[in-house]
Amino acid sequence: MNILYVEDNKINAMVMDKMLSKNDAKVIIAENASKALNMVKEVSLDLILVDINLGLNQMDGCELLKHFKKLDMLKNIPMYAVTAYAMPGDSQRFIQLGFDKYFSKPVNFEKLLIAISKVKKSNVS
């Protein structure tokens, strides 16, 4: 399973890579939106995880999602928000923007792995 993780924080990216790699996922990390937009054209993906805050003067995860949604090659690829935004209503707001799921940081890896296992099953059937 190929997962693109768009995350500007190297430690967060490393932790996610380590956790998902243990569970038979290949994690491709893009540290900004521009790199992510290039990577989706080069690699076949099963899932995209997007941080919302991608650094000062950078495109944020919500804007990146809009660009992803315009690409036919990503039409059937689930996209999850993975963010430190964890105020009441944030989950609903990100789902309304078009993310398929929302995970607040620190990520509950058990819940994330359950969601990923459903993506794996849908790719097999």
Side-chain angles (χ1 to χ4, degrees):
M1 171 167 235
N2 290 333
I3 301 173
L4 174 63
Y5 183 35
V6 187
E7 170 64 72
D8 65 317
N9 182 294
K10 290 180 195 245
I11 293 172
N12 289 343
M14 183 180 69
V15 169
M16 185 71 76
D17 181 32
K18 189 170 188 101
M19 293 304 294
L20 296 180
S21 295
K22 281 189 213 176
N23 289 280
D24 297 324
K26 179 181 179 197
V27 180
I28 301 134
I29 298 169
E31 60 267 8
N32 61 49
S34 175
K35 288 185 179 183
L37 286 166
N38 287 328
M39 285 180 179
V40 297
K41 296 171 186 167
E42 299 170 4
V43 179
S44 175
L45 297 169
D46 300 296
L47 176 66
I48 299 174
L49 307 175
V50 182
D51 182 26
I52 300 302
N53 184 349
L54 295 173
L56 291 174
N57 302 318
Q58 298 290 322
M59 182 188 312
D60 72 12
C62 297
E63 185 66 26
L64 177 59
L65 177 72
K66 291 177 188 174
H67 288 281
F68 281 163
K69 293 285 187 179
K70 292 177 186 173
L71 299 173
D72 284 338
M73 70 185 82
L74 300 179
K75 184 172 70 171
N76 297 315
I77 306 298
M79 299 179 205
Y80 299 172
V82 179
T83 179
Y85 288 101
M87 297 298 289
D90 281 341
S91 173
Q92 182 179 356
R93 178 169 62 106
F94 292 119
I95 298 298
Q96 286 175 340
L97 286 172
F99 285 99
D100 297 293
K101 293 201 178 292
Y102 159 91
F103 294 91
S104 63
K105 293 177 184 175
V107 174
N108 179 322
F109 280 101
E110 185 176 325
K111 288 182 180 178
L112 179 59
L113 291 173
I114 290 168
I116 290 171
S117 73
K118 291 177 183 176
V119 172
K120 279 184 188 177
K121 286 179 187 171
S122 71
N123 287 348
V124 171
S125 26

